[in-house]
Amino acid sequence: MTDRAWFDAAKGDIPQWAASMPKDADGTTIDWDWVRSLDLAHGVGTIPESTPQSIHDALKADYATREHLESIIAQCNSTFMTDYDRFIGSYRLPRALAYANRRLNDNINTLLHLGEQQHLWVVSRERRGRTTVAVLRPYSGSRPSNDDQGMLNLSGETGDASAGNTAAENSDVKFPTTVALDDIQDRTAAILDARAERRKAQRFQKRAGDAAMARANLSGATSPGGAALPGGAAASGNATGHHPKPDWRDAYLPGRDVDAVMGIDIETTGIDPARDYIIDVGFEFMNMASPRPAGEPETYAYEQGYYAAGDAYGQSRLAFGVPPENAALGNVLIAKLTGIDVRGRSSEAGYRLFDEWPQAQAGLLARLTQQPYVAHNATFEHSWFMLNVAGYAESYRAGRITIIDTLPMSRQWDPGAVPTNEHPYGDNTLDAYAKRQGALDSAHNERHLGLEDSHIMLVAMKHHLAALKAQGKGPWGSTGRAGVGGKSCGRKR
């Protein structure tokens, strides 16, 4: 198979998806013929002429295309995971759609910048509900500083990152603002909010139905008054003295027999796996109970000299690139957070893109299926692997992948995770958890690089499990589980 042949294979899966998924995440009937017509490999964005109306029209068209694609992608996971008859054999199509959507998103950001260059609008990035959106306002000769904009340097030259001057301020091109802005505003926040409201209404309806069944004595109740209403069970005890209620994250807690695991952390250009890119992956192995394997190198040099390998082994860090269009725009926020400047990570500079590198995906998948993998807020890594790693979704659905999350370990079992007004569930960031468990000195902070963050996470987990075992709590408490625990499809707990 050639590098791009998998796009044809993905389109070949459309009949399976069409039969199982007639509507998208917003309840709209999917035009699968339109999906079939898309050139997923070479781009679905619009390249306009450099005139104000052409730029406006291209941005409007690209926003519409992105909304259609993302509403389909958002529905694919639940459809695939509830396809109990296995009518859909592969997750190639959602991965291909996400691949195309990332390039489309780059095209949208390029158009936003082009409009700034020509003084058609001013862009600000604003938090709205569940996401951050680009807000367009008329150009007035100046604009507020906005560090989250990115470098906005289409030449790709690596100037001073503080030169957050907009192209509108630097450009000699002087176009009047002659285009309407109302019909080219980013609607992502409104779409996500409406989607969340529909899910909320569905959950309420289900709970009301369950309650009615319980009152009617049809759900296993044994007394005339009916069973207790769903969700009314007492919270399980833990090591903290406070008792957070059980929630869905508890499925990712480890069991008392957990031992060899792989810790993993990824760094990305944003938070949306259908829009952004994986640029850094770090992982290592550690045994929670048995001795460190003999024959493994005794030391490893982390970026932080004060990190000691200890019981960790098999360390690996992988660097990946971004398309030239993404590199040209830059990313101030990620540069500040991780130290990774995507302007130097262009595929033209020799960096391979993770979503275009089948061998890297296959190598990572082989490691993810060998033993449980551990991440802090593991649903983040899981969502990125679903849309980036060939074979991951299929392996996960088949029960060949087990995921353990240290976030619920902190939330449920860490005595230091005391709820406060600022942190209603306790401070459960990796930085706070690692410091409380003695894996990170209080004088230093989480590095935000894959391997270094994987390391402090595993050290914290091992320290934490040892303390819990000595106290007979956590996995060894009355609500603990035997076995390795974690989340795995098709396995009873």
Side-chain angles (χ1 to χ4, degrees):
M1 246 181 163
T2 64
D3 287 346
R4 301 300 173 89
W6 74 276
F7 290 100
D8 293 331
K11 284 190 175 182
D13 296 337
I14 286 178
Q16 303 169 16
W17 285 93
S20 301
M21 197 173 84
K23 294 186 177 182
D24 62 23
D26 300 315
T28 303
T29 299
I30 298 172
D31 183 351
W32 287 105
D33 288 334
W34 173 78
V35 176
R36 192 176 284 107
S37 73
L38 297 173
D39 187 351
L40 302 177
H42 298 100
V44 296
T46 305
I47 307 300
E49 299 176 359
S50 292
T51 64
Q53 194 60 43
S54 295
I55 295 170
H56 167 281
D57 293 347
L59 182 58
K60 182 177 180 179
D62 280 1
Y63 271 150
T65 300
R66 190 176 71 178
E67 289 175 10
H68 290 323
L69 278 176
E70 291 184 348
S71 63
I72 294 171
I73 295 169
Q75 186 62 27
C76 287
N77 181 71
S78 61
T79 298
F80 187 73
M81 296 308 298
T82 57
D83 177 30
Y84 302 116
D85 293 328
R86 299 297 187 261
F87 186 68
I88 303 172
S90 172
Y91 210 67
R92 283 177 300 210
L93 183 61
R95 287 194 297 107
L97 297 180
Y99 176 97
N101 197 68
R102 291 182 198 107
R103 278 76 185 166
L104 173 63
N105 196 59
D106 291 344
N107 201 66
I108 287 171
N109 288 327
T110 300
L111 290 171
L112 291 172
H113 174 55
L114 187 57
E116 285 195 301
Q117 281 186 311
Q118 299 197 4
H119 295 176
L120 303 180
W121 50 64
V122 171
V123 182
S124 61
R125 308 281 175 174
E126 299 180 9
R127 187 73 186 181
R128 301 236 174 131
R130 293 164 173 78
T131 189
T132 299
V133 298
V135 179
L136 305 188
R137 294 185 174 88
Y139 175 72
S140 60
S142 63
R143 57 162 288 162
S145 172
N146 189 332
D147 287 342
D148 290 349
Q149 290 293 325
M151 298 355 172
L152 297 177
N153 180 356
L154 286 182
S155 69
E157 296 176 358
T158 55
D160 184 353
S162 66
N165 311 329
T166 68
E169 292 168 342
N170 296 329
S171 175
D172 292 329
V173 181
K174 302 298 181 184
F175 281 97
T177 304
T178 58
V179 298
L181 301 184
D182 289 347
D183 61 344
I184 50 172
Q185 297 291 349
D186 188 344
R187 299 191 325 118
T188 303
I191 291 170
L192 293 180
D193 287 346
R195 203 175 286 167
E197 286 300 314
R198 284 193 296 273
R199 289 196 301 266
K200 181 179 178 181
Q202 290 167 356
R203 288 194 298 269
F204 178 82
Q205 187 176 26
K206 182 181 185 302
R207 284 196 297 268
D210 290 344
M213 289 286 286
R215 285 192 296 269
N217 230 13
L218 296 176
S219 62
T222 57
S223 61
L229 296 182
S236 58
N238 54 44
T240 67
H242 70 283
H243 301 273
K245 293 181 180 179
D247 70 12
W248 58 270
R249 296 176 187 84
D250 295 349
Y252 295 86
L253 289 167
R256 63 180 68 100
D257 300 319
V258 66
D259 189 14
V261 296
M262 183 182 86
I264 189 166
D265 183 76
I266 64 175
E267 303 300 331
T268 61
T269 60
I271 62 171
D272 190 337
R275 293 187 184 182
D276 301 306
Y277 299 90
I278 294 174
I279 53 175
D280 182 76
V281 177
F283 59 83
E284 67 179 25
F285 301 83
M286 187 176 290
N287 296 351
M288 296 292 117
S290 62
R292 185 176 183 276
E296 293 288 342
E298 293 296 325
T299 60
Y300 183 87
Y302 297 91
E303 184 182 277
Q304 279 65 32
Y306 49 85
Y307 281 13
D311 294 331
Y313 58 95
Q315 296 92 340
S316 183
R317 73 169 79 242
L318 308 170
F320 301 100
V322 297
E325 296 78 9
N326 188 282
L329 292 169
N331 196 316
V332 168
L333 181 62
I334 296 304
K336 287 182 177 179
L337 183 67
T338 68
I340 299 173
D341 187 345
V342 298
R343 293 176 301 174
R345 287 285 185 98
S346 170
S347 56
E348 292 180 341
Y351 280 87
R352 296 286 298 271
L353 275 66
F354 185 75
D355 64 359
E356 292 184 353
W357 198 345
Q359 294 84 359
Q361 297 169 35
L364 182 58
L365 179 63
R367 289 165 175 81
L368 293 171
T369 55
Q370 284 175 353
Q371 69 292 296
Y373 80 80
V374 182
H376 195 80
N377 191 21
T379 53
F380 180 81
E381 274 75 11
H382 173 70
S383 66
W384 284 80
F385 296 156
M386 289 286 287
L387 289 178
N388 279 274
V389 179
Y392 177 88
E394 296 86 342
S395 296
Y396 177 71
R397 187 176 69 170
R400 293 193 290 271
I401 290 175
T402 299
I403 310 170
I404 294 173
D405 194 340
T406 51
L407 177 61
M409 287 184 63
S410 174
R411 186 175 183 271
Q412 295 286 3
W413 296 337
D414 188 335
V418 178
T420 63
N421 289 335
E422 184 180 0
H423 300 286
Y425 298 100
D427 188 351
N428 299 306
T429 62
L430 176 58
D431 184 86
Y433 176 63
K435 287 174 178 175
R436 290 196 300 265
Q437 297 302 326
L440 183 63
D441 189 277
S442 60
H444 301 102
N445 294 319
E446 175 189 356
R447 176 59 184 83
H448 292 291
L449 279 180
L451 179 58
E452 279 68 27
D453 290 355
S454 296
H455 182 64
I456 62 172
M457 174 187 66
L458 288 184
V459 173
M461 178 181 175
K462 186 160 186 172
H463 290 178
H464 196 186
L465 287 174
L468 291 169
K469 184 175 183 179
Q471 298 164 13
K473 297 178 179 178
W476 293 272
S478 60
T479 60
R481 292 186 286 169
V484 299
K487 178 74 179 296
S488 181
C489 292
R491 178 162 54 83
K492 293 182 178 180
R493 291 169 173 76

